[in-house]
Amino acid sequence: MNNHKFFHSVYLNEELCNGCINCIKRCPTQAIRVRNGRAVITSQFCIDCGECIRICAHHAKRSHFDHPDIIKNYKYTVALPAPSLYSQFNNLDDINIVLTALIYMGFDDVFEVASAAEIVSEESEKYVNEHHDQWPLISTACPSVVRLIRVRFPNLIDHLLPINPPVEVAARLARKEAVKKTGLPAEDIGIVFISPCPSKVAYAKDPLGVTKSDIDGVLAIKDIYPLLLPLMLAAEKSPMQLARAGKIGVGWGIHGGEAAGISTDNYLAADGIENVIRVLEDLEDEKFSELAFIELNSCDGGCVGGVLTVENPYVAQAKLKKLNHNLPRIVTHTPPDIRNDELYWTEEVEYLPVYRLGESMKESIVMMNRVEKLWQKFPGLDCGSCGAPTCKALAEDIVRRKANETDCIYILKDQIHSLTRSMNSLVNNAASYEVKGNDYRYIFKQYLKKLLSEISLLDSALNLNKDDKDD
């Protein structure tokens, strides 16, 4: 099996988990199981989409991110606000108010990710027009989508747009600009992204397409939001002129915004991880023809729907559209001195066969046959009571030696029924048992009756549980 080490932003707080199965039913990659009354996240299957955080009523699923005090670790810090940050505030009519508030918060400078998005839009349009052989090209701005393709849709890897996401381009340009402005060594400058989602936290630690990210820290929008509100009141009186992005860049924060930056109507845009998976499945089945570009966002509504935001994603979309209304179409163009390695991937994104059952093709086929046979034994209800999301997933877990057949409540019930019948027969015939020298028939019979009573109680309990579910 592949030895790739995975870093994940999403993690489980075991103290808060009560073993409900909401998360296993919603995880798009079947990365979660419930074992011994607690959820367990399978690292190599997780794509950090944050759906489990969104669905968990007990707040047991959480995301790693940095504390705002990270700005004290560097001599000079630059904030990288995501376009989705602007959509969190009511009645915002000037982006400069938010950017000025970030300076008041303690950052030395700001570099809008929206500004880098306009550069990426220009370069993406150029690449799409020059590479018809790779059509449809799939956006790589959402790390969860790229991770999903890498582990589940290997035939689509060649369609990935090999351009760094705007946050990475922004980080590289911001560092270069800060070094030039301050004369400080690059390592003394902290580049801090303000993120709407755990996916980009994971990207900063374990990037795709590059060896190392230029992002030094990631803050959650939900943590920054309450800090910015009072500072924005002060910033509103005299905002600094810091904005450098137009409609195209700011529009990246919502569904369809990236595609709008490419001058073509020959595109498809989908949001929400379940919709994304359906599009990728259809794409793999070659159901699309002559599409030039596909924009995919794992969060509903685009980045404004990330689980590290505070606003309803659909309200946030409306706010961002209103804010965008009076902006110029594009402000930032590709700098003439930008290097190819600042824009494009320098590392290949390779297929990771994490779902493969065996070490070899022959072993995998044998194990797949075992899975099919086991699967047929189960009721096909996909109830989740076993701790796996589907009956097939349980069969795969059994073949991987991570579960047992009796984890299925229906298999367990059938076994207890069988045991009850056997014990009934044994008790009824106990009178015929004799032991030389001593007669233990009475003791033996009493023991069997007690055992039979316990089994019958368990059998009744299982039937009661089933009746409760039926009700």
Side-chain angles (χ1 to χ4, degrees), residues 20-96:
C20 75
I21 60 172
N22 290 334
C23 57
I24 70 171
K25 304 301 289 184
R26 286 288 298 171
C27 178
T29 57
Q30 298 189 347
I32 306 176
R33 300 290 187 272
V34 173
R35 299 281 183 254
N36 300 317
R38 294 288 183 273
V40 178
I41 301 174
T42 304
S43 176
Q44 61 265 36
F45 296 170
C46 177
I47 58 172
D48 288 289
C49 65
E51 280 300 303
C52 57
I53 298 175
R54 196 189 311 278
I55 199 66
C56 184
H58 309 285
H59 307 291
K61 310 298 188 305
R62 297 187 174 184
S63 173
H64 291 292
F65 43 80
D66 293 298
H67 189 275
D69 283 347
I70 191 174
I71 64 178
K72 298 176 182 178
N73 297 343
Y74 299 91
K75 293 181 180 178
Y76 191 88
T77 54
V78 183
L80 305 183
S84 49
L85 174 65
Y86 311 142
S87 68
Q88 306 301 296
F89 307 101
N90 293 325
N91 305 314
L92 180 68
D93 57 7
D94 185 359
I95 289 170
N96 285 304

Coordinates of all heavy atoms in Angstrom, one line a residue, residues 20-96:
C20 N -23.0 8.4 17.4 CA -24.2 8.4 16.5 C -23.6 8.2 15.1 O -22.4 8.3 14.9 CB -24.9 9.7 16.5 SG -24.0 11.1 15.7
I21 N -24.4 7.9 14.1 CA -23.9 7.5 12.8 C -24.2 8.6 11.8 O -24.1 8.3 10.5 CB -24.5 6.2 12.3 CG1 -26.0 6.3 12.2 CG2 -24.1 5.1 13.2 CD1 -26.7 5.1 11.6
N22 N -24.4 9.8 12.2 CA -24.7 10.9 11.2 C -23.5 11.1 10.3 O -23.7 11.3 9.1 CB -25.0 12.2 11.9 CG -26.4 12.1 12.6 OD1 -27.3 11.4 12.2 ND2 -26.6 12.9 13.7
C23 N -22.3 11.1 10.9 CA -21.1 11.4 10.1 C -20.8 10.4 9.1 O -20.4 10.7 7.9 CB -19.9 11.7 11.0 SG -19.5 10.3 12.1
I24 N -21.0 9.1 9.4 CA -20.6 8.0 8.5 C -21.6 8.0 7.3 O -21.2 7.6 6.2 CB -20.6 6.6 9.1 CG1 -22.0 6.2 9.5 CG2 -19.7 6.6 10.4 CD1 -22.1 4.7 9.9
K25 N -22.8 8.5 7.5 CA -23.7 8.5 6.3 C -23.5 9.7 5.4 O -23.8 9.7 4.2 CB -25.2 8.6 6.8 CG -25.6 7.5 7.8 CD -25.4 6.1 7.2 CE -26.5 5.8 6.1 NZ -26.4 4.5 5.6
R26 N -22.8 10.8 5.9 CA -22.6 12.0 5.1 C -21.2 12.1 4.5 O -21.0 12.8 3.6 CB -22.8 13.2 6.0 CG -24.3 13.5 6.3 CD -25.0 14.0 5.1 NE -24.5 15.3 4.6 CZ -24.8 15.9 3.4 NH1 -25.7 15.3 2.6 NH2 -24.3 17.0 3.1
C27 N -20.2 11.3 5.0 CA -18.9 11.4 4.5 C -18.8 10.9 3.1 O -19.2 9.8 2.8 CB -17.9 10.5 5.4 SG -16.2 10.5 4.8
P28 N -18.4 11.8 2.1 CA -18.4 11.4 0.7 C -17.4 10.4 0.3 O -17.5 9.8 -0.8 CB -18.1 12.8 0.0 CG -17.3 13.5 1.0 CD -17.8 13.1 2.4
T29 N -16.4 10.1 1.1 CA -15.4 9.1 0.7 C -15.4 7.9 1.7 O -14.5 7.1 1.7 CB -14.0 9.8 0.8 OG1 -13.7 10.3 2.1 CG2 -13.8 10.9 -0.3
Q30 N -16.4 7.8 2.5 CA -16.6 6.7 3.5 C -15.3 6.5 4.3 O -14.8 5.5 4.6 CB -16.9 5.4 2.7 CG -18.2 5.4 1.9 CD -18.6 4.1 1.4 OE1 -17.8 3.1 1.3 NE2 -19.8 4.0 0.9
A31 N -14.9 7.7 4.8 CA -13.6 7.7 5.6 C -13.9 7.5 7.1 O -12.9 7.4 7.9 CB -12.9 9.1 5.4
I32 N -15.2 7.4 7.5 CA -15.5 7.4 9.0 C -16.2 6.1 9.3 O -17.1 5.6 8.6 CB -16.4 8.6 9.4 CG1 -15.7 9.9 9.0 CG2 -16.6 8.6 10.9 CD1 -16.5 11.1 9.3
R33 N -15.8 5.5 10.4 CA -16.5 4.3 11.0 C -16.8 4.6 12.5 O -16.2 5.5 13.1 CB -15.6 3.1 10.9 CG -15.2 2.6 9.5 CD -16.4 2.1 8.8 NE -15.9 1.5 7.5 CZ -15.8 2.2 6.4 NH1 -16.1 3.5 6.4 NH2 -15.4 1.7 5.2
V34 N -17.8 3.9 13.0 CA -18.0 4.0 14.4 C -17.6 2.7 15.1 O -18.2 1.6 14.7 CB -19.5 4.3 14.7 CG1 -19.8 4.2 16.2 CG2 -19.9 5.7 14.2
R35 N -16.6 2.7 15.9 CA -16.1 1.5 16.6 C -16.1 1.8 18.1 O -15.6 2.8 18.5 CB -14.7 1.2 16.1 CG -14.6 0.9 14.6 CD -15.1 -0.5 14.2 NE -15.0 -0.8 12.8 CZ -16.0 -0.9 12.0 NH1 -17.2 -0.6 12.4 NH2 -15.8 -1.2 10.7
N36 N -16.6 0.8 18.8 CA -16.6 0.9 20.3 C -17.2 2.2 20.8 O -16.7 2.9 21.7 CB -15.2 0.8 20.9 CG -14.5 -0.5 20.5 OD1 -15.2 -1.6 20.5 ND2 -13.3 -0.5 20.1
G37 N -18.3 2.6 20.1 CA -19.0 3.8 20.5 C -18.4 5.1 20.2 O -18.9 6.2 20.7
R38 N -17.4 5.2 19.3 CA -16.7 6.4 19.0 C -16.4 6.4 17.5 O -16.1 5.3 16.9 CB -15.4 6.6 19.7 CG -15.6 6.8 21.2 CD -16.1 8.2 21.5 NE -16.2 8.4 23.0 CZ -17.2 8.1 23.7 NH1 -18.3 7.4 23.2 NH2 -17.2 8.4 25.0
A39 N -16.5 7.6 16.8 CA -16.1 7.7 15.4 C -14.6 7.5 15.3 O -13.8 7.9 16.1 CB -16.6 9.0 14.9
V40 N -14.3 6.9 14.1 CA -12.8 6.7 13.8 C -12.7 7.2 12.3 O -13.4 6.8 11.5 CB -12.4 5.3 13.9 CG1 -11.0 5.1 13.4 CG2 -12.6 4.7 15.3
I41 N -11.7 8.1 12.1 CA -11.5 8.7 10.8 C -10.3 7.9 10.2 O -9.2 7.9 10.7 CB -11.2 10.2 10.8 CG1 -12.4 10.9 11.5 CG2 -10.9 10.7 9.4 CD1 -12.1 12.4 11.7
T42 N -10.5 7.3 9.0 CA -9.5 6.7 8.2 C -8.7 7.7 7.5 O -9.2 8.3 6.5 CB -10.1 5.6 7.3 OG1 -10.9 4.7 8.0 CG2 -8.9 4.9 6.6
S43 N -7.5 8.0 7.8 CA -6.7 9.1 7.3 C -6.6 9.1 5.8 O -6.8 10.1 5.2 CB -5.3 9.1 7.9 OG -4.5 10.1 7.4
Q44 N -6.3 7.9 5.2 CA -6.0 7.9 3.8 C -7.2 8.2 2.9 O -7.1 8.5 1.7 CB -5.3 6.7 3.3 CG -6.0 5.4 3.6 CD -5.6 4.7 4.9 OE1 -5.4 5.4 5.9 NE2 -5.6 3.4 4.9
F45 N -8.4 8.0 3.5 CA -9.7 8.2 2.7 C -10.1 9.7 2.9 O -10.9 10.1 2.0 CB -10.8 7.3 3.2 CG -10.5 5.8 3.0 CD1 -11.4 4.9 3.6 CD2 -9.5 5.4 2.3 CE1 -11.2 3.5 3.4 CE2 -9.2 4.0 2.1 CZ -10.1 3.1 2.6
C46 N -9.8 10.4 3.9 CA -10.3 11.7 4.2 C -9.7 12.7 3.2 O -8.5 12.7 2.9 CB -9.9 12.1 5.7 SG -10.4 13.8 6.1
I47 N -10.6 13.6 2.8 CA -10.2 14.7 1.8 C -10.4 16.1 2.5 O -10.3 17.1 1.8 CB -10.9 14.6 0.5 CG1 -12.5 14.7 0.7 CG2 -10.5 13.3 -0.3 CD1 -13.2 14.8 -0.6
D48 N -10.7 16.1 3.8 CA -10.8 17.4 4.5 C -11.9 18.3 4.0 O -11.7 19.5 4.0 CB -9.4 18.1 4.6 CG -8.4 17.5 5.5 OD1 -8.6 17.5 6.7 OD2 -7.5 16.8 4.9
C49 N -12.9 17.7 3.5 CA -14.0 18.6 2.9 C -14.8 19.3 4.0 O -15.5 20.3 3.8 CB -14.9 17.7 2.0 SG -15.8 16.4 2.9
G50 N -14.8 18.7 5.2 CA -15.5 19.3 6.4 C -17.0 18.9 6.5 O -17.7 19.5 7.3
E51 N -17.5 18.0 5.7 CA -18.9 17.6 5.8 C -19.2 17.0 7.2 O -20.3 17.2 7.7 CB -19.2 16.6 4.7 CG -19.5 17.2 3.3 CD -20.6 18.2 3.3 OE1 -21.7 17.8 3.7 OE2 -20.4 19.3 3.0
C52 N -18.2 16.3 7.7 CA -18.5 15.7 9.1 C -18.6 16.8 10.1 O -19.3 16.7 11.1 CB -17.4 14.7 9.4 SG -15.7 15.4 9.4
I53 N -17.8 17.9 10.0 CA -17.9 19.1 10.9 C -19.3 19.7 10.7 O -20.0 20.0 11.7 CB -16.8 20.1 10.6 CG1 -15.4 19.5 10.8 CG2 -17.0 21.3 11.4 CD1 -14.3 20.4 10.4
R54 N -19.7 19.8 9.5 CA -21.0 20.5 9.2 C -22.2 19.7 9.8 O -23.2 20.2 10.3 CB -21.2 20.6 7.7 CG -22.3 21.5 7.3 CD -22.6 21.4 5.8 NE -21.4 21.5 5.0 CZ -20.7 22.6 4.6 NH1 -21.2 23.7 5.0 NH2 -19.6 22.5 3.9
I55 N -22.1 18.3 9.8 CA -23.3 17.5 10.2 C -23.3 17.1 11.6 O -24.3 16.7 12.2 CB -23.3 16.2 9.3 CG1 -24.7 15.5 9.3 CG2 -22.2 15.2 9.7 CD1 -25.7 16.4 8.7
C56 N -22.1 17.2 12.3 CA -22.0 16.7 13.7 C -22.8 17.6 14.7 O -22.3 18.7 14.9 CB -20.6 16.5 14.1 SG -20.4 15.8 15.8
A57 N -23.8 17.1 15.2 CA -24.7 17.9 16.2 C -24.0 18.1 17.5 O -24.4 18.9 18.3 CB -26.0 17.2 16.4
H58 N -23.0 17.2 17.8 CA -22.3 17.3 19.1 C -20.9 18.0 19.0 O -20.2 18.1 20.0 CB -22.1 15.8 19.6 CG -23.3 15.0 19.6 ND1 -24.3 15.2 20.5 CD2 -23.7 14.0 18.7 CE1 -25.3 14.3 20.2 NE2 -25.0 13.6 19.1
H59 N -20.6 18.6 17.8 CA -19.4 19.3 17.6 C -18.2 18.5 18.0 O -17.1 19.0 18.4 CB -19.4 20.6 18.5 CG -20.7 21.4 18.3 ND1 -20.9 22.1 17.1 CD2 -21.7 21.7 19.1 CE1 -22.1 22.7 17.2 NE2 -22.6 22.5 18.4
A60 N -18.2 17.2 17.7 CA -17.1 16.3 18.0 C -16.1 16.4 16.8 O -14.9 16.0 17.0 CB -17.6 14.9 18.2
K61 N -16.5 16.8 15.6 CA -15.6 16.9 14.5 C -15.1 18.4 14.5 O -15.9 19.3 14.5 CB -16.2 16.5 13.2 CG -17.0 15.2 13.2 CD -16.0 14.0 13.4 CE -16.8 12.7 13.2 NZ -18.0 12.6 14.0
R62 N -13.8 18.5 14.4 CA -13.3 19.9 14.4 C -12.1 20.0 13.4 O -11.8 19.1 12.7 CB -12.7 20.2 15.8 CG -13.8 20.2 16.9 CD -13.4 20.6 18.2 NE -14.5 20.7 19.2 CZ -14.4 21.2 20.4 NH1 -13.2 21.6 20.9 NH2 -15.4 21.3 21.2
S63 N -11.6 21.2 13.3 CA -10.5 21.5 12.4 C -9.4 22.2 13.1 O -9.5 23.0 13.9 CB -11.1 22.4 11.2 OG -10.0 22.8 10.4
H64 N -8.2 21.7 12.7 CA -7.0 22.4 13.2 C -6.8 23.7 12.4 O -7.0 23.7 11.2 CB -5.7 21.5 12.9 CG -5.6 20.3 13.7 ND1 -5.4 20.3 15.1 CD2 -5.7 19.0 13.4 CE1 -5.4 19.1 15.6 NE2 -5.6 18.2 14.6
F65 N -6.4 24.7 13.1 CA -6.0 26.0 12.4 C -5.2 26.8 13.5 O -5.1 26.4 14.6 CB -7.1 26.8 11.9 CG -8.3 26.9 12.8 CD1 -8.4 27.8 13.9 CD2 -9.4 26.0 12.6 CE1 -9.4 27.8 14.7 CE2 -10.5 26.1 13.5 CZ -10.5 27.0 14.5
D66 N -4.6 27.8 13.0 CA -3.7 28.6 13.9 C -4.4 29.6 14.8 O -5.6 30.0 14.4 CB -2.6 29.3 13.1 CG -1.6 28.3 12.5 OD1 -1.0 27.5 13.2 OD2 -1.6 28.2 11.2
H67 N -3.8 30.0 15.9 CA -4.3 31.1 16.7 C -3.9 32.4 16.2 O -2.8 32.5 15.6 CB -3.8 30.8 18.2 CG -4.5 31.7 19.2 ND1 -4.0 33.0 19.4 CD2 -5.5 31.5 20.0 CE1 -4.8 33.5 20.3 NE2 -5.7 32.6 20.7
P68 N -4.7 33.4 16.3 CA -4.3 34.8 15.9 C -3.0 35.3 16.4 O -2.3 36.1 15.7 CB -5.5 35.7 16.4 CG -6.6 34.8 16.4 CD -6.1 33.4 16.8
D69 N -2.5 34.7 17.5 CA -1.2 35.2 18.0 C 0.0 34.8 17.1 O 1.1 35.1 17.4 CB -1.0 34.5 19.4 CG -1.8 35.3 20.5 OD1 -2.3 36.4 20.2 OD2 -1.9 34.7 21.6
I70 N -0.3 34.0 16.1 CA 0.8 33.6 15.2 C 1.5 34.8 14.6 O 2.7 34.7 14.2 CB 0.2 32.7 14.0 CG1 1.4 32.0 13.3 CG2 -0.7 33.4 13.1 CD1 1.0 31.0 12.2
I71 N 0.8 35.9 14.5 CA 1.4 37.1 13.9 C 2.6 37.6 14.8 O 3.5 38.4 14.3 CB 0.4 38.2 13.7 CG1 -0.2 38.7 15.0 CG2 -0.7 37.8 12.7 CD1 -1.2 39.9 14.8
K72 N 2.7 37.2 16.0 CA 3.8 37.6 16.9 C 5.0 36.8 16.6 O 6.1 37.1 17.2 CB 3.4 37.4 18.4 CG 2.2 38.3 18.8 CD 1.8 38.0 20.2 CE 0.5 38.8 20.6 NZ 0.1 38.5 22.0
N73 N 4.9 35.7 15.8 CA 6.1 34.9 15.6 C 7.0 35.4 14.5 O 8.1 34.8 14.2 CB 5.6 33.5 15.2 CG 4.8 32.8 16.3 OD1 4.9 33.2 17.5 ND2 4.1 31.7 16.0
Y74 N 6.6 36.5 13.8 CA 7.4 37.0 12.7 C 7.7 38.5 12.9 O 6.9 39.2 13.5 CB 6.6 36.7 11.4 CG 6.4 35.3 11.1 CD1 5.2 34.7 11.6 CD2 7.3 34.5 10.5 CE1 5.0 33.3 11.3 CE2 7.1 33.1 10.2 CZ 5.9 32.5 10.7 OH 5.7 31.2 10.5
K75 N 8.7 38.9 12.2 CA 9.0 40.4 12.3 C 8.1 41.2 11.4 O 7.9 42.4 11.6 CB 10.5 40.6 11.8 CG 11.5 40.0 12.8 CD 13.0 40.2 12.3 CE 14.0 39.6 13.3 NZ 15.4 39.8 12.8
Y76 N 7.6 40.5 10.4 CA 6.7 41.2 9.5 C 5.6 40.2 9.0 O 6.0 39.1 8.6 CB 7.5 41.8 8.3 CG 6.7 42.7 7.4 CD1 6.7 44.1 7.6 CD2 6.1 42.3 6.2 CE1 6.1 45.0 6.8 CE2 5.4 43.1 5.4 CZ 5.4 44.5 5.6 OH 4.8 45.4 4.8
T77 N 4.4 40.6 9.1 CA 3.3 39.6 8.7 C 2.4 40.2 7.6 O 2.1 41.4 7.6 CB 2.4 39.2 9.9 OG1 1.9 40.4 10.5 CG2 3.2 38.4 10.9
V78 N 2.0 39.4 6.7 CA 1.1 39.7 5.7 C -0.2 38.9 5.7 O -0.1 37.6 5.8 CB 1.7 39.6 4.3 CG1 0.8 40.1 3.2 CG2 3.1 40.3 4.2
A79 N -1.3 39.5 5.8 CA -2.6 38.8 5.8 C -3.1 38.5 4.4 O -3.0 39.4 3.5 CB -3.7 39.6 6.5
L80 N -3.5 37.3 4.1 CA -4.1 36.9 2.8 C -5.6 36.6 3.1 O -6.0 35.5 3.4 CB -3.4 35.6 2.3 CG -1.9 35.6 2.1 CD1 -1.5 34.3 1.5 CD2 -1.4 36.8 1.3
P81 N -6.4 37.7 2.9 CA -7.9 37.4 3.1 C -8.5 36.8 1.9 O -8.3 37.2 0.8 CB -8.4 38.9 3.3 CG -7.5 39.7 2.6 CD -6.1 39.1 2.7
A82 N -9.3 35.7 2.2 CA -10.0 35.0 1.1 C -11.2 35.9 0.7 O -11.7 36.7 1.5 CB -10.5 33.7 1.6
P83 N -11.6 35.9 -0.6 CA -12.7 36.7 -1.0 C -14.0 36.4 -0.2 O -14.8 37.3 0.0 CB -13.0 36.2 -2.5 CG -11.6 35.7 -2.9 CD -11.0 35.1 -1.7
S84 N -14.1 35.2 0.3 CA -15.3 34.8 1.1 C -15.4 35.6 2.4 O -16.4 35.7 3.0 CB -15.3 33.3 1.4 OG -14.1 32.8 1.8
L85 N -14.2 36.1 2.9 CA -14.2 36.9 4.1 C -15.1 38.1 4.0 O -15.9 38.5 4.9 CB -12.8 37.3 4.5 CG -12.7 38.3 5.7 CD1 -13.1 37.6 7.0 CD2 -11.2 38.8 5.8
Y86 N -15.2 38.7 2.8 CA -15.9 40.0 2.6 C -17.4 39.7 2.7 O -18.2 40.6 3.0 CB -15.6 40.6 1.3 CG -14.2 40.7 0.9 CD1 -13.7 40.5 -0.3 CD2 -13.2 41.1 1.9 CE1 -12.3 40.6 -0.7 CE2 -11.9 41.2 1.6 CZ -11.4 41.0 0.3 OH -10.1 41.1 0.0
S87 N -17.8 38.5 2.5 CA -19.3 38.1 2.4 C -19.9 37.9 3.8 O -21.1 37.7 4.0 CB -19.5 36.9 1.6 OG -18.9 35.7 2.3
Q88 N -19.1 38.0 4.9 CA -19.5 37.7 6.2 C -20.1 38.9 6.9 O -20.8 38.7 8.0 CB -18.4 37.2 7.1 CG -17.6 36.0 6.4 CD -18.5 34.8 6.2 OE1 -19.0 34.2 7.1 NE2 -18.7 34.4 4.9
F89 N -19.9 40.1 6.4 CA -20.3 41.3 7.1 C -21.6 42.0 6.4 O -21.7 42.0 5.2 CB -19.2 42.3 7.1 CG -17.9 41.7 7.6 CD1 -16.9 41.3 6.8 CD2 -17.7 41.6 9.0 CE1 -15.7 40.7 7.3 CE2 -16.6 41.0 9.5 CZ -15.6 40.6 8.6
N90 N -22.4 42.5 7.3 CA -23.6 43.2 6.8 C -23.3 44.6 6.3 O -22.5 45.3 6.8 CB -24.7 43.3 7.9 CG -25.2 41.9 8.3 OD1 -25.4 41.0 7.5 ND2 -25.5 41.8 9.6
N91 N -24.0 44.9 5.2 CA -23.9 46.3 4.6 C -22.5 46.8 4.3 O -22.2 48.0 4.4 CB -24.6 47.3 5.6 CG -26.0 46.9 5.9 OD1 -26.8 46.5 5.0 ND2 -26.3 46.9 7.2
L92 N -21.6 45.8 3.9 CA -20.3 46.2 3.6 C -20.3 46.8 2.1 O -20.7 46.1 1.2 CB -19.3 45.0 3.7 CG -17.8 45.3 3.3 CD1 -17.2 46.2 4.3 CD2 -17.1 44.0 3.2
D93 N -19.8 48.0 1.9 CA -19.8 48.6 0.6 C -18.4 48.9 0.1 O -18.2 49.5 -1.0 CB -20.7 49.8 0.5 CG -20.3 50.9 1.5 OD1 -19.3 50.7 2.2 OD2 -21.1 51.8 1.6
D94 N -17.4 48.7 1.0 CA -16.0 49.0 0.7 C -15.0 48.0 1.3 O -14.9 47.9 2.5 CB -15.6 50.4 1.2 CG -14.2 50.9 0.8 OD1 -13.5 50.1 0.1 OD2 -13.8 52.0 1.1
I95 N -14.4 47.2 0.4 CA -13.5 46.2 0.8 C -12.3 46.7 1.7 O -11.8 46.1 2.6 CB -12.9 45.4 -0.4 CG1 -14.0 44.5 -1.0 CG2 -11.7 44.5 0.0 CD1 -13.7 43.9 -2.3
N96 N -12.0 48.0 1.4 CA -10.9 48.6 2.1 C -11.1 48.7 3.7 O -10.2 48.7 4.4 CB -10.6 50.0 1.6 CG -9.9 50.0 0.3 OD1 -8.8 49.4 0.1 ND2 -10.5 50.6 -0.7

